[in-house]
Amino acid sequence: MSSATVTTTCAYCGVGCGVKMQPHAEGFTASGDGAHPANLGRLCVKGSALGETLDLNGRLLHPEIDRQPVSWSQALDAVAQGLQAIIRDHGPQAVAFYGSGQLLTEDYYVANKLMKGFIGAGNMDTNSRLCMASAVVGYKRAFGTDAVPCSYRDLELADCVILTGSNIAWAHPVVYQRLAQAKKARPEMRIIVIDPRQTATCDIADLHLPLRPGSDAALFCGALNAMAEHNLLDSDFLKQHTQGGDETLTAARDWTEEHTAAFCGLPLTQLRTFYQMIADSDRLVTLYSMGINQSSSGVDKCNAIINLHLAAGKVGREGCGPFSITGQPNAMGGREVGGLANQLASHMGFTKEEIDRVERFWKSDNVTKSAGLNAVELFRAIEQGQIKAVWIMGTNPLVSLPDADRVRAGLARCPLVIVSDVMRDTDTTRAAHICLPALAWGEKNGTVTNSERCISRQRAFLPVPGEAKPDWWILSQVAQRLGFGEAFAWQHPAEIFREHAALSGFENNGSRAFDISGLAQLTDREWDELRPVQWPVNAANPQGRERLFTDGRFFHSDGKARLIAITPRLPINQPTSVAPLIMNTGRIRDQWHTMTRTGKSARLMQHISEPFCQFHPADAPDVQDGDLVRVSSSHGWLLLRARPDSLQPRGSVFVPMHWNSQFSQQARVDALVEANTDPLSGQPESKHMPISLRRWAAVWQGELFMRGNHLTPPATAYWSRIAQPDITHYVLADSSIPKDWLAWLNEYAAVGEWICQSAHLGEKGFNLLAWADGELQLAFYAHRDRPGVDRQAVVAAFGQPPQTAPQRLALLAGTAGKGKASAGATICSCFAVGEHKIADAVRQGCSSVQQLGAQLKCGTNCGSCIPELKKILAEQLAFNSGMS
Ligand SMILES: Nc1nc2c(c(=O)[nH]1)N[C@H]1C(S)=C(S)[C@@H](COP(=O)(O)OP(=O)(O)OC[C@H]3O[C@@H](n4cnc5c(=O)[nH]c(N)nc54)[C@H](O)[C@@H]3O)O[C@H]1N2
Ligand SMILES: Nc1nc2c(c(=O)[nH]1)N[C@H]1C(S)=C(S)[C@@H](COP(=O)(O)OP(=O)(O)OC[C@H]3O[C@@H](n4cnc5c(=O)[nH]c(N)nc54)[C@H](O)[C@@H]3O)O[C@H]1N2
Ligand code: SF4
Ligand SMILES: [Mo]
């Protein structure tokens, strides 16, 4: 374990913040790296909680076959022999690899080289298919290369920033902070949010366009048309640097103001304001992410955005550009190595010339000759038996792929499922024959590339736990057993990085945007000490490059960019009489993906602690806040906590993507999502599924707390797990009442062996406390409605048992501590400030975010909660004025 502060890169989002991990007696504290260009010292709440998620609870620490621990040599032999037998009997196309934008570049490079270069199978894809695939194709069509032209600084320099399909306040918080600060410094800067939902990001917006879901392409075609009609296009740029302008403008001509406003469901005046703001801005950045990409016409949406930038000459200049922001810490690195099935390697595809070049570089005559199956197709091929072995690494597809129950059923029939993960019990490891323990963030060493092409180092500062190994090492060991030893003989990740850098420059001569040949000669030490640098890094750009295409030269063979004529299409599935609402899915502020990491942090879980669905109250008038609801699509159903919210658009229901089977009984949102994909990118339409919603009437609801982490979830129709330090905590609900509460509890915990104190509340419910050696072992509360338990007080009682009889009685009633103000949901995670405390402070006179910060500290560290503070302020002030 490192005794000095280590500088590394955050484990989470594509902002790619630099982090300093400082050791102290109990662990590590994370703080922002002031020298990192992405964050300049800032961190968001997930980044600042990195030190809280380093424990080894639940980790996969030994290789396993059929859930039994085995030695590494047994596991590696089993993987190699299993793959070999399948390749021998069915050919290389019968094996597949499914990777992740959370692998390090070095790991990713090795996986790609093994599959596409030596096994000779194209069936290697990644979770980036669900994330960036449309953006990649959009850039390639327009620029002839998959390259983000701009930098975070361009956001700060712009006159106008359009954020479409992107909730950066929650998903890219440090970019949000940078933008919020830039706007504060230059209030004339315009920020426009395009999102059917009113999100936290709208807090800094001058204009929010709550457009009809899926109608973005029309909106941007309309903007292009309006700019053309008012002679606001850059005709010199169009002529000299682009092709396809005429066809594109002709196609956009249909999108008159009236037609666009009607199609997008926006008032004409709002649309005109939008056009005017664009027209008034010399410098324009459009930043987009999942609300654009996750669509059956995602590529066209990306190109509709890029068309506008090209036609107006707003690319390759300061403060300008179409900016697809990446999600995962190394989504960009995956694109660099060629991790998607339709890429070969290092920004090369499958032309004869490219295959030949890669064959010579890798010294292999077995390089795959064509693109393989994308994620959705790949899991279909598994279901249909064409693919007989799959190696899944760094992703949890049984939670995150659309039609997830079908994927699970398909995988159950696959003869060989190998899963490399850091956690032992995930939905996907449960389906594995062989589990391989990988080193996690903080233990592994390598590089990642963020949204603005900035390569930075993730450095190890923790000891190797158990028998876990780096992913690159595991892959290389298997490669050696398959007979490819020479090409996989690395001893250190720096050797892999140098090879990757050399390939990027190999016979490049300016033909490929991704070129880091300038880093191909780094010594191990230089690699270890590598400072963040934006690619390309080559002879022409030895220090890297902030902005691309500044000379108006693009990567199509004629050097010109392409405008693409777009015919906007709506999402494939539209509401029906049985499924009249649309389910929109996405992220919440304090959770990361399928929760394997953030789900461990009690602090992060206090913001939103149960899987929920948010909808306009008029869409389900009989459902009250806090009820349970059943959400059903043609593919499956979920049980979720209801959060009616009048800011949610009519007809649209928001459900988070995060909850998995370890955290809730029936809340994997992708079980409901149909696998409709974009024809060009293969990316699924994850944000638009017709559903119905109805109240689910529980007969009782309860809360169960038990010391330690061994309690399995009770067999109730609904349960959710909430992380608590050293305690297992379930929220429960069921449709029948147990005949005997004690007998029922005994099925899960040995309650009978403890001293029990219980209260039968007749029809209404049952409470129980169980004690051993004066310490609280278990607390249980069941009620016909939701028991109003003071959770903080119950959790505290496990550490400090109440001493007096009245205190114990209060604990038994679940009301201990209720005299003091209970905190409610944690709004400010940095300083653990709850909603009730904030509302109280407003009642007592605080009338601004600054005053709240001065009194309670909330919002004064990362600032992610400021939109929510403002919401509470507005609600409470409105309430106060109503009362006076
Ligand atoms: N806290 C947190 N941060 C994360 C992650 C996380 O899991 N948790 N994951 C990371 C990853 S991998 C990614 S890809 C990014 C994703 O970052 P975002 O793309 O910002 O996240 P989402 O919440 O998936 O979706 C963004 C918004 O798209 C909107 N939307 C839905 N339909 C439409 C539409 O038709 N048009 C428009 N204009 N908008 C629409 C949704 O309402 C939502 O607010 O976040 C990264 N950051
Ligand atoms: N409905 C809906 N579905 C979605 C989305 C949505 O918005 N809506 N978003 C999509 C997007 S954008 C994304 S990116 C995906 C994300 O979905 P996933 O990739 O499935 O989510 P994660 O939870 O990040 O899974 C990462 C897994 O890798 C493990 N892991 C962590 N570090 C390492 C490591 O170093 N090595 C190895 N071998 N394993 C490691 C973790 O324990 C975890 O099991 O979800 C997609 N699915
Ligand atoms: S913004 Fe993203 S990279 Fe930066 S600290 Fe937060 S989660 Fe980590
Ligand atoms: Mo993503």
PDB file of all heavy atoms in Angstrom, residues 38-57:
ATOM      1  N   ALA A  38      -8.366  18.461 -17.031  1.00  0.00           N
ATOM      2  CA  ALA A  38      -9.808  18.193 -17.106  1.00  0.00           C
ATOM      3  C   ALA A  38     -10.553  18.856 -15.955  1.00  0.00           C
ATOM      4  O   ALA A  38     -11.663  19.356 -16.135  1.00  0.00           O
ATOM      5  CB  ALA A  38     -10.073  16.691 -17.100  1.00  0.00           C
ATOM      6  N   ASN A  39      -9.985  18.849 -14.761  1.00  0.00           N
ATOM      7  CA  ASN A  39     -10.751  19.318 -13.597  1.00  0.00           C
ATOM      8  C   ASN A  39     -10.091  20.432 -12.812  1.00  0.00           C
ATOM      9  O   ASN A  39     -10.754  21.082 -12.004  1.00  0.00           O
ATOM     10  CB  ASN A  39     -11.078  18.147 -12.658  1.00  0.00           C
ATOM     11  CG  ASN A  39      -9.859  17.380 -12.193  1.00  0.00           C
ATOM     12  OD1 ASN A  39      -8.929  17.147 -12.954  1.00  0.00           O
ATOM     13  ND2 ASN A  39      -9.865  16.979 -10.948  1.00  0.00           N
ATOM     14  N   LEU A  40      -8.779  20.656 -13.039  1.00  0.00           N
ATOM     15  CA  LEU A  40      -8.076  21.745 -12.351  1.00  0.00           C
ATOM     16  C   LEU A  40      -8.428  21.778 -10.862  1.00  0.00           C
ATOM     17  O   LEU A  40      -8.756  22.826 -10.309  1.00  0.00           O
ATOM     18  CB  LEU A  40      -8.417  23.085 -13.022  1.00  0.00           C
ATOM     19  CG  LEU A  40      -8.150  23.124 -14.526  1.00  0.00           C
ATOM     20  CD1 LEU A  40      -8.884  24.280 -15.193  1.00  0.00           C
ATOM     21  CD2 LEU A  40      -6.660  23.196 -14.821  1.00  0.00           C
ATOM     22  N   GLY A  41      -8.422  20.613 -10.250  1.00  0.00           N
ATOM     23  CA  GLY A  41      -8.621  20.532  -8.806  1.00  0.00           C
ATOM     24  C   GLY A  41     -10.032  20.189  -8.365  1.00  0.00           C
ATOM     25  O   GLY A  41     -10.248  19.828  -7.216  1.00  0.00           O
ATOM     26  N   ARG A  42     -10.997  20.293  -9.274  1.00  0.00           N
ATOM     27  CA  ARG A  42     -12.371  20.010  -8.835  1.00  0.00           C
ATOM     28  C   ARG A  42     -12.618  18.500  -8.766  1.00  0.00           C
ATOM     29  O   ARG A  42     -11.965  17.722  -9.444  1.00  0.00           O
ATOM     30  CB  ARG A  42     -13.373  20.580  -9.842  1.00  0.00           C
ATOM     31  CG  ARG A  42     -13.315  22.072 -10.023  1.00  0.00           C
ATOM     32  CD  ARG A  42     -14.288  22.453 -11.130  1.00  0.00           C
ATOM     33  NE  ARG A  42     -14.287  23.862 -11.401  1.00  0.00           N
ATOM     34  CZ  ARG A  42     -13.476  24.455 -12.275  1.00  0.00           C
ATOM     35  NH1 ARG A  42     -12.594  23.752 -12.947  1.00  0.00           N
ATOM     36  NH2 ARG A  42     -13.528  25.753 -12.473  1.00  0.00           N
ATOM     37  N   LEU A  43     -13.639  18.103  -8.014  1.00  0.00           N
ATOM     38  CA  LEU A  43     -14.129  16.723  -8.039  1.00  0.00           C
ATOM     39  C   LEU A  43     -15.626  16.776  -7.817  1.00  0.00           C
ATOM     40  O   LEU A  43     -16.139  17.719  -7.219  1.00  0.00           O
ATOM     41  CB  LEU A  43     -13.531  15.892  -6.904  1.00  0.00           C
ATOM     42  CG  LEU A  43     -12.129  15.318  -7.039  1.00  0.00           C
ATOM     43  CD1 LEU A  43     -11.880  14.366  -5.871  1.00  0.00           C
ATOM     44  CD2 LEU A  43     -11.924  14.571  -8.347  1.00  0.00           C
ATOM     45  N   CYS A  44     -16.337  15.759  -8.264  1.00  0.00           N
ATOM     46  CA  CYS A  44     -17.764  15.700  -7.941  1.00  0.00           C
ATOM     47  C   CYS A  44     -17.951  14.744  -6.768  1.00  0.00           C
ATOM     48  O   CYS A  44     -16.992  14.197  -6.229  1.00  0.00           O
ATOM     49  CB  CYS A  44     -18.582  15.263  -9.154  1.00  0.00           C
ATOM     50  SG  CYS A  44     -18.518  13.508  -9.471  1.00  0.00           S
ATOM     51  N   VAL A  45     -19.200  14.505  -6.408  1.00  0.00           N
ATOM     52  CA  VAL A  45     -19.457  13.707  -5.209  1.00  0.00           C
ATOM     53  C   VAL A  45     -18.990  12.249  -5.376  1.00  0.00           C
ATOM     54  O   VAL A  45     -18.426  11.662  -4.449  1.00  0.00           O
ATOM     55  CB  VAL A  45     -20.941  13.822  -4.789  1.00  0.00           C
ATOM     56  CG1 VAL A  45     -21.867  13.656  -5.952  1.00  0.00           C
ATOM     57  CG2 VAL A  45     -21.305  12.846  -3.708  1.00  0.00           C
ATOM     58  N   LYS A  46     -19.152  11.695  -6.581  1.00  0.00           N
ATOM     59  CA  LYS A  46     -18.675  10.313  -6.765  1.00  0.00           C
ATOM     60  C   LYS A  46     -17.162  10.259  -6.661  1.00  0.00           C
ATOM     61  O   LYS A  46     -16.602   9.363  -6.039  1.00  0.00           O
ATOM     62  CB  LYS A  46     -19.113   9.754  -8.123  1.00  0.00           C
ATOM     63  CG  LYS A  46     -20.609   9.506  -8.235  1.00  0.00           C
ATOM     64  CD  LYS A  46     -20.982   8.773  -9.507  1.00  0.00           C
ATOM     65  CE  LYS A  46     -20.560   9.449 -10.771  1.00  0.00           C
ATOM     66  NZ  LYS A  46     -21.055  10.828 -10.968  1.00  0.00           N
ATOM     67  N   GLY A  47     -16.505  11.230  -7.278  1.00  0.00           N
ATOM     68  CA  GLY A  47     -15.046  11.284  -7.208  1.00  0.00           C
ATOM     69  C   GLY A  47     -14.571  11.470  -5.774  1.00  0.00           C
ATOM     70  O   GLY A  47     -13.646  10.799  -5.319  1.00  0.00           O
ATOM     71  N   SER A  48     -15.252  12.361  -5.031  1.00  0.00           N
ATOM     72  CA  SER A  48     -14.772  12.565  -3.648  1.00  0.00           C
ATOM     73  C   SER A  48     -15.071  11.376  -2.756  1.00  0.00           C
ATOM     74  O   SER A  48     -14.455  11.231  -1.703  1.00  0.00           O
ATOM     75  CB  SER A  48     -15.287  13.870  -3.015  1.00  0.00           C
ATOM     76  OG  SER A  48     -16.352  14.402  -3.704  1.00  0.00           O
ATOM     77  N   ALA A  49     -16.003  10.499  -3.166  1.00  0.00           N
ATOM     78  CA  ALA A  49     -16.293   9.301  -2.351  1.00  0.00           C
ATOM     79  C   ALA A  49     -15.431   8.105  -2.764  1.00  0.00           C
ATOM     80  O   ALA A  49     -15.641   6.998  -2.268  1.00  0.00           O
ATOM     81  CB  ALA A  49     -17.776   8.940  -2.462  1.00  0.00           C
ATOM     82  N   LEU A  50     -14.463   8.301  -3.656  1.00  0.00           N
ATOM     83  CA  LEU A  50     -13.672   7.149  -4.132  1.00  0.00           C
ATOM     84  C   LEU A  50     -13.030   6.367  -2.990  1.00  0.00           C
ATOM     85  O   LEU A  50     -12.974   5.137  -3.027  1.00  0.00           O
ATOM     86  CB  LEU A  50     -12.581   7.624  -5.107  1.00  0.00           C
ATOM     87  CG  LEU A  50     -13.038   7.791  -6.562  1.00  0.00           C
ATOM     88  CD1 LEU A  50     -12.016   8.593  -7.365  1.00  0.00           C
ATOM     89  CD2 LEU A  50     -13.279   6.434  -7.216  1.00  0.00           C
ATOM     90  N   GLY A  51     -12.597   7.095  -1.956  1.00  0.00           N
ATOM     91  CA  GLY A  51     -11.964   6.424  -0.825  1.00  0.00           C
ATOM     92  C   GLY A  51     -12.901   5.504  -0.065  1.00  0.00           C
ATOM     93  O   GLY A  51     -12.469   4.599   0.649  1.00  0.00           O
ATOM     94  N   GLU A  52     -14.222   5.702  -0.243  1.00  0.00           N
ATOM     95  CA  GLU A  52     -15.197   4.900   0.522  1.00  0.00           C
ATOM     96  C   GLU A  52     -15.565   3.590  -0.168  1.00  0.00           C
ATOM     97  O   GLU A  52     -16.350   2.815   0.356  1.00  0.00           O
ATOM     98  CB  GLU A  52     -16.495   5.710   0.703  1.00  0.00           C
ATOM     99  CG  GLU A  52     -16.319   6.892   1.607  1.00  0.00           C
ATOM    100  CD  GLU A  52     -17.469   7.867   1.461  1.00  0.00           C
ATOM    101  OE1 GLU A  52     -18.613   7.434   1.246  1.00  0.00           O
ATOM    102  OE2 GLU A  52     -17.210   9.081   1.545  1.00  0.00           O
ATOM    103  N   THR A  53     -15.069   3.400  -1.374  1.00  0.00           N
ATOM    104  CA  THR A  53     -15.502   2.207  -2.111  1.00  0.00           C
ATOM    105  C   THR A  53     -14.328   1.267  -2.369  1.00  0.00           C
ATOM    106  O   THR A  53     -14.345   0.466  -3.284  1.00  0.00           O
ATOM    107  CB  THR A  53     -16.148   2.618  -3.452  1.00  0.00           C
ATOM    108  OG1 THR A  53     -15.198   3.416  -4.168  1.00  0.00           O
ATOM    109  CG2 THR A  53     -17.412   3.418  -3.261  1.00  0.00           C
ATOM    110  N   LEU A  54     -13.301   1.381  -1.539  1.00  0.00           N
ATOM    111  CA  LEU A  54     -12.092   0.589  -1.781  1.00  0.00           C
ATOM    112  C   LEU A  54     -12.086  -0.731  -1.021  1.00  0.00           C
ATOM    113  O   LEU A  54     -11.188  -1.538  -1.204  1.00  0.00           O
ATOM    114  CB  LEU A  54     -10.849   1.400  -1.378  1.00  0.00           C
ATOM    115  CG  LEU A  54     -10.665   2.744  -2.087  1.00  0.00           C
ATOM    116  CD1 LEU A  54      -9.487   3.510  -1.487  1.00  0.00           C
ATOM    117  CD2 LEU A  54     -10.455   2.544  -3.572  1.00  0.00           C
ATOM    118  N   ASP A  55     -13.083  -0.958  -0.168  1.00  0.00           N
ATOM    119  CA  ASP A  55     -13.037  -2.168   0.655  1.00  0.00           C
ATOM    120  C   ASP A  55     -13.165  -3.413  -0.217  1.00  0.00           C
ATOM    121  O   ASP A  55     -13.538  -3.348  -1.373  1.00  0.00           O
ATOM    122  CB  ASP A  55     -14.160  -2.132   1.701  1.00  0.00           C
ATOM    123  CG  ASP A  55     -15.518  -2.207   1.042  1.00  0.00           C
ATOM    124  OD1 ASP A  55     -15.874  -3.296   0.557  1.00  0.00           O
ATOM    125  OD2 ASP A  55     -16.225  -1.175   0.984  1.00  0.00           O
ATOM    126  N   LEU A  56     -12.852  -4.538   0.395  1.00  0.00           N
ATOM    127  CA  LEU A  56     -12.839  -5.778  -0.380  1.00  0.00           C
ATOM    128  C   LEU A  56     -14.141  -6.565  -0.245  1.00  0.00           C
ATOM    129  O   LEU A  56     -14.239  -7.694  -0.731  1.00  0.00           O
ATOM    130  CB  LEU A  56     -11.649  -6.639   0.045  1.00  0.00           C
ATOM    131  CG  LEU A  56     -10.269  -5.997  -0.192  1.00  0.00           C
ATOM    132  CD1 LEU A  56      -9.159  -6.917   0.274  1.00  0.00           C
ATOM    133  CD2 LEU A  56     -10.070  -5.652  -1.658  1.00  0.00           C
ATOM    134  N   ASN A  57     -15.143  -5.986   0.416  1.00  0.00           N
ATOM    135  CA  ASN A  57     -16.428  -6.691   0.551  1.00  0.00           C
ATOM    136  C   ASN A  57     -16.971  -7.077  -0.814  1.00  0.00           C
ATOM    137  O   ASN A  57     -17.103  -6.241  -1.684  1.00  0.00           O
ATOM    138  CB  ASN A  57     -17.475  -5.787   1.219  1.00  0.00           C
ATOM    139  CG  ASN A  57     -17.215  -5.666   2.701  1.00  0.00           C
ATOM    140  OD1 ASN A  57     -16.553  -6.524   3.273  1.00  0.00           O
ATOM    141  ND2 ASN A  57     -17.716  -4.589   3.298  1.00  0.00           N
TER     142      ASN A  57
END
